[in-house]
């Protein structure tokens, strides 16, 4: 067997034989839910536009109107 292959497959090079978890080259990316990057920012912006930023409650009956781009 080639010396480079032997050293690569030795017990010292394999982290699975010593009980330790294998080391990752890059950290594992954490998945975030749709609410964290889409829904929550939209709700926050809508509350601010209505004039009721968190934690104030928006009173019943308060409604916003939709405007199209280009409307004056």
């Amino acid at each position: 067997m080639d010396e480079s292959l032997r050293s690569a497959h030795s017990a010292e090079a394999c982290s699975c034989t010593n009980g330790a978890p294998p080391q990752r080259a890059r950290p594992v990316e954490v998945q975030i839910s749709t609410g964290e990057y889409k829904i929550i920012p939209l709700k926050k912006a809508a509350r601010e536009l209505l004039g009721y930023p968190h934690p104030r409650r928006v009173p019943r009956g308060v409604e916003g109107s939709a405007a199209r781009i280009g409307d004056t």
Side-chain angles (χ1 to χ4, degrees):
M1 183 182 240
D2 187 40
E3 185 61 36
S4 62
L5 291 175
R6 185 176 300 136
S7 64
H9 292 291
S10 68
E12 294 83 26
C14 182
S15 62
C16 59
T17 59
N18 62 8
Q23 297 295 322
R24 298 183 190 272
R26 295 183 349 193
V28 177
E29 294 183 22
V30 177
Q31 289 183 336
I32 58 174
S33 68
T34 303
E36 292 180 40
Y37 71 96
K38 286 184 178 178
I39 298 171
I40 292 174
L42 288 174
K43 284 184 175 182
K44 183 178 179 182
R47 291 176 65 87
E48 289 176 359
L49 289 172
L50 289 172
Y52 295 95
H54 183 76
R56 290 179 50 195
R57 294 186 69 121
V58 179
R60 272 191 202 273
V62 173
E63 295 180 5
S65 62
R68 291 182 292 173
I69 297 174
D71 286 351
T72 56

